[in-house]
Amino acid sequence: MSLPHAILTALLEKPSSGLELTRRFDRSIGYFWSATHQQIYRELGKLEAEGQIRALPSEQPARGQKKSYEVLPAGRDELARWTAASQDPKPLRDTMLLRLRASAVVGTAGVEADLRRHLDLHQEQLAEYEEIEKRDFPPGTDTAQDRLRHLVLRAGIDLETFWTRWLAHALEEFEQLPERRLPARD
């Protein structure tokens, strides 16, 4: 149910077309809530049918022109209702953790290389987040909006920091495993 709320948030920040929303998801919102081009367009249609957004009037004939959308009062009310509602945290589901557990019973072939690949990917993501932080949140950006957006980015930085440290630790442990082959069958 969060995709419509992500779209409402993005449209309240700046009225946009579906294509512009897709690009914004790729550049920012998508770091923590991803959606495909098709999902965004499908959700725009639903939000418009529910009276939560509307297409802005076009200066040119609509045929072949991209529609830009803005949030209506009903959409703002829904976003405020959703923001104020209580939600429980979601349990962590990560295939790498499950694969490590499974490797304890079937052997570790391929796992070490993938741990290294994951470490590289998380290090790259961490570097990207840190670059965004330097670029978008220099000292003195103290508005409430800036501080809340920075808080979201800090969550990404802290998560990537956790994963890079954990993966480095996992690789150290991996190096010390007595054997990495398939366990003997009974």
Side-chain angles (χ1 to χ4, degrees):
M1 187 63 157
S2 295
L3 179 56
H5 300 103
I7 291 172
L8 288 170
T9 300
L11 289 175
L12 279 169
E13 290 173 341
K14 179 182 176 193
S16 304
S17 69
L19 181 59
E20 291 165 337
L21 280 173
T22 299
R23 289 181 181 147
R24 288 173 60 202
F25 266 74
D26 289 344
R27 287 190 322 263
S28 61
I29 294 171
Y31 286 123
F32 57 90
W33 199 266
S34 62
T36 66
H37 185 78
Q38 293 84 4
Q39 289 171 316
I40 290 171
Y41 274 94
R42 187 170 39 248
E43 208 56 53
L44 285 170
K46 289 178 187 175
L47 290 167
E48 189 173 26
E50 293 168 358
Q52 294 185 28
I53 65 171
R54 72 173 180 141
L56 292 169
S58 179
E59 296 174 8
Q60 301 173 1
R63 189 164 180 80
Q65 297 294 319
K66 63 183 180 181
K67 289 185 197 177
S68 285
Y69 295 91
E70 70 177 353
V71 177
L72 295 171
R76 181 180 285 276
D77 291 346
E78 169 53 23
L79 188 59
R81 181 208 60 76
W82 179 77
T83 302
S86 176
Q87 293 182 355
D88 292 335
K90 300 287 183 216
L92 174 65
R93 290 177 54 170
D94 187 277
T95 15
M96 178 54 78
L97 298 177
L98 183 57
R99 289 174 58 217
L100 278 175
R101 179 76 182 250
S103 71
V105 293
V106 297
T108 59
V111 176
E112 185 175 4
D114 211 30
L115 284 169
R116 291 187 193 290
R117 188 178 71 81
H118 277 235
L119 178 58
D120 290 343
L121 292 170
H122 283 288
Q123 287 172 331
E124 288 172 18
Q125 189 64 65
L126 177 59
E128 186 174 343
Y129 285 162
E130 289 172 336
E131 188 59 38
I132 291 169
E133 184 178 42
K134 285 180 199 169
R135 181 191 69 217
D136 295 349
F137 299 101
T141 51
D142 278 353
T143 69
Q145 287 180 332
D146 286 336
R147 292 179 82 168
L148 291 173
R149 288 181 183 130
H150 192 194
L151 192 58
V152 172
L153 179 61
R154 281 300 322 169
I157 290 170
D158 292 347
L159 282 170
E160 294 303 330
T161 299
F162 161 79
W163 280 115
T164 56
R165 287 180 181 161
W166 182 86
L167 286 159
H169 176 74
L171 285 164
E172 289 170 8
E173 288 290 324
F174 221 85
E175 292 290 326
Q176 297 180 24
L177 292 176
E179 66 177 75
R180 298 184 204 162
R181 293 173 293 143
L182 187 66
R185 292 188 152 189
D186 295 336

